[in-house]
Every structure is written in structure tokens, then in C-alpha cells.
Amino acid sequence: MRTKEGAVTRNEGWGARVRRTGPVVIAAVALLAGCEGVQDAGSPAGDGSGRAVSPLDNPDGTGPGLASVTGESDRAEAVDLIEKVTTKGRGPRTGYERDEFGYAWMDTADGVPLARNGCDTRNDLLRRDGQEVRFRSGSDCVVVAMTLDDPYTGTTIEWRKQEAAEVQIDHVVPLSYSWQMGASRWPEAKRERLANDTLNLIPVQGRANSAKGDSGPAAWLPPDRRIRCAYAVRFAQVAVKYEMPVTPADKRMMLEQCGG
């Protein structure tokens, strides 16, 4: 089921519930997991507050999460990066289809991290950002349960695959947006890279992702104000890597988030 452009619910299912603590709940989760047949990835327990990586220290997107960009020197670095992004008006959406960027979560998009590792992009991202990750029995790829510290809302989600759509993989630069900013003229291989590049992908709360749609930063920013500069940096990193312009309004908003 397609939930928004670039966010697809696969047949393994998606789901979550608000995190609770206490031995009764933990025991119940463990019992349910045992009924499914899962294996523990051995991820360390914890609240994850120190695990997310600043985008300035994570230029290829292989590190987890999206940590705040703080401090005068880091914000100055962020502004310098955003200033490199070029601008132009947003073109028409005519001809856009998700399939123009390859089938969802393909493992064969060459030239991006984690490609051709035997695990689809979606599960790669869940494994990258999740904590206390549990896999389907007999698999070291298919994630069936995890804890996610959602960067967009600042909340913690206890996710299980039986429940749908509470966690989705966000394309930071939406695919429809990129289509309107020039990707319609790119070679198919370049579009496939953008759609599966770890730099452009973050697991987040499904409701926040749906609210974003294909908006640029001028129309939508993460609800958690603490990571808005980090979000602007990541948007800029993707734009610079793929030589893709943003709208003048989006660039102004990105600069504003980092004090530029």
C-alpha cells in the first residue's frame, strides 16, 4: 500500500506503539515476539539520546538518526553548506511516478552505501536507526521489532511489523520534489540512487512523514524544532551531492533554521 510518494508499506507490514516501561509490558512484548519466531540482533539497550549522529559528521548517511546541530562553529559550517545549494523555480509534476525511481527499496541501486548487500533498503534503514532490533527467525535482514527514537517528533516508538504505517522511511528530499527540480531529465540509474541513498533516507513517525508529503523546507519542517537546522543540512547535503537545485523560498528557510 502506497502511503505517500516514496513511502510504501510492504507485505512484511509496519507498526508501532507509544513506548511504555515496566516488567509486565516488556514480558508481554517478549512473549509476542517469541510467538512470531524472532532472533535478537544484540543491539544495546538504552534511550538512544546519544546515538544519533549530526549530519555534519555523517556525510554519507551511514550513521543513525539526525542529531541537532548546535554551537556557533557548527552552525556556521551548516550555513556555508546551504549557501552552496543552487536555486530555481519548481517545475510541473507532469509524468511523475514512483516507479520512475525504480521499484521501492531495491537492493541493486549501484553507487550508494549498503547496495547489493542482500537486504532491501527499507530493512537496511530500520537496522541502521533502530535499537533493540529483532529479526525474523532465520534472517539477518527482515526487521520485525525495534525501538526507534524518531528525530522528527522527538518521541520514542516501540515498533512491531504486525501494525501498519506508524514508522515509514522518509525521503528527506521527496522524490516528487526532485522530479520537479530536474530529476525528470536524469538517467534512470541516478534516480534509483537518489531513491535508495542512505543520505536521503530516515525512518520516522508515519504521521509526520505523511504530513510532509512532497513539501520542501519552506512548506514543512520537522515538528521538533531542535533538529530543524540538522534537517536543513541533510536536505542541502542531498541537493549538493545530486547537483539538484531547490526553490529560493526553500533555501531561505534552510538558512533561517541555521541562523544564516
Side-chain angles (χ1 to χ4, degrees), residues 41-127:
S43 299
D47 63 7
S49 58
R51 187 167 177 270
V53 181
S54 165
L56 295 172
D57 298 324
N58 187 23
D60 61 1
T62 55
L66 194 65
S68 300
V69 173
T70 58
E72 186 175 341
S73 62
D74 282 353
R75 285 186 166 254
E77 183 180 348
V79 169
D80 287 345
L81 173 65
I82 296 168
E83 288 284 14
K84 295 177 182 177
V85 179
T86 60
T87 62
K88 81 173 191 68
R90 193 162 175 166
R93 198 172 184 270
T94 306
Y96 169 75
E97 295 287 345
R98 173 60 178 85
D99 290 346
E100 294 288 344
F101 293 78
Y103 65 85
W105 314 134
M106 62 193 301
D107 185 39
T108 56
D110 291 325
V112 295
L114 309 183
R116 299 186 183 274
N117 65 354
C119 188
D120 65 82
T121 304
R122 185 196 70 167
N123 280 295
D124 280 336
L125 272 293
L126 296 180
R127 180 167 51 181

Side-chain angles (χ1 to χ4, degrees), residues 39-45 131-135:
Q39 57 189 45
D40 199 325
S43 299
Q131 298 176 80
E132 302 170 39
V133 174
R134 298 177 72 85
F135 297 119

Side-chain angles (χ1 to χ4, degrees), residues 148-157 205 222-227:
L148 177 70
D149 289 315
D150 171 37
Y152 285 1
T153 64
T155 60
T156 300
I157 301 170
Q205 183 198 75
D224 188 345
R225 293 177 177 272
R226 295 172 297 178
I227 63 101

Side-chain angles (χ1 to χ4, degrees), residues 101 175 177-187 191 194 244:
F101 293 78
L175 302 186
Y177 181 98
S178 73
W179 182 265
Q180 296 171 75
M181 301 306 292
S184 60
R185 298 184 295 278
W186 293 356
R191 292 197 294 265
L194 177 69
M244 183 187 68

Side-chain angles (χ1 to χ4, degrees), residues 206-227:
R207 292 185 299 279
N209 189 42
S210 296
K212 172 182 172 177
D214 68 351
S215 299
W220 186 91
L221 290 167
D224 188 345
R225 293 177 177 272
R226 295 172 297 178
I227 63 101

